[in-house]
Amino acid sequence: DMLTVLNDIPFAIPPYFALLARAVVTLEGIALGADPDYRMVMEAYPFVARKLLSDDRPEIQKALQEVLYKGGGEGQLTPARLSVLINSAMGIVSRGTDSVFVDFDSVPEDGISVQEAARYLLSPEASSLRDVLQGEAVTAIDLLLRQASRKLYSRYMASLPTNPFASFLPLPPLNELPGPFLL
């Protein structure tokens, strides 16, 4: 059935891609003959992780964000995924018994130390990751400053004495104030 569909649809694989796929399949077959527990994806993932962390091309940046953020590039930065990525870049991949692919949410038990992770993050190999983490830090600081400003404004307004003659004039809500009070 698949062959008839492929014959009906004009579909061509570039020769270089076909040769590369053939070489990979051959190498995997040789490796599986020597070690039946060999997992090609697991062995290649440290290279992929290092490439994700060091390359600054837009498509690589997008792939990095899809790995780091739960939900495919949007949502929350997941610390477990960050840890798995850094561990993988340093050559430590969590290996399950029947797992063929890398589990982004399970941190290896024999992972790197905090000092090693910090040293790696400050190295040139993690330049792409530092850009993502810098954006996250700016967002977190902005959020914390906004919350502190709201609390400070509320406390300040509560501490002001009320004028018994102007009690019929209510103060506007915080989100309706003009100018720099827009939080």
Side-chain angles (χ1 to χ4, degrees):
D1 291 332
M2 182 79 137
L3 187 58
T4 58
V5 171
L6 286 176
N7 287 333
D8 292 342
I9 299 172
F11 180 76
I13 297 174
Y16 65 89
F17 186 77
L19 286 174
L20 181 64
R22 185 175 177 189
V24 167
V25 168
T26 303
L27 288 173
E28 186 178 24
I30 292 170
L32 285 172
D35 180 11
D37 294 330
Y38 179 76
R39 305 275 194 281
M40 185 163 206
V41 173
M42 300 293 263
E43 296 298 326
Y45 190 68
F47 169 76
V48 173
R50 284 191 295 274
K51 191 74 170 165
L52 282 174
L53 295 176
S54 63
D55 204 335
D56 59 349
R57 289 184 297 165
E59 56 271 8
I60 301 291
Q61 287 291 311
K62 185 175 184 214
L64 174 64
Q65 290 182 353
E66 286 180 11
V67 168
L68 287 176
Y69 293 88
K70 214 167 201 165
E74 296 178 5
Q76 276 185 304
L77 177 74
T78 315
R81 288 181 176 212
L82 176 62
S83 178
V84 167
L85 193 63
I86 292 173
N87 275 294
S88 298
M90 298 200 59
I92 301 170
V93 180
S94 179
R95 300 188 189 283
T97 55
D98 58 346
S99 177
V100 177
F101 296 105
V102 176
D103 184 7
F104 294 121
D105 297 319
S106 68
V107 180
E109 292 180 19
D110 57 340
I112 61 173
S113 67
V114 175
Q115 291 84 7
E116 290 172 322
R119 195 174 308 120
Y120 184 79
L121 281 173
L122 296 174
S123 71
E125 291 88 24
S127 61
S128 182
L129 180 60
R130 277 196 310 274
D131 293 340
V132 171
L133 293 178
Q134 181 181 4
E136 284 293 321
V138 167
T139 301
I141 290 170
D142 179 51
L143 179 65
L144 291 173
L145 287 175
R146 286 175 187 246
Q147 287 177 343
S149 298
R150 285 187 185 119
K151 287 181 182 179
L152 182 65
Y153 175 77
S154 298
R155 287 182 184 164
Y156 174 73
M157 294 309 284
S159 70
L160 289 177
T162 57
N163 185 348
F165 301 110
S167 61
F168 61 90
L169 297 172
L171 291 173
L174 180 62
N175 59 354
E176 293 180 9
L177 289 176
F181 288 102
L182 291 176
L183 303 174

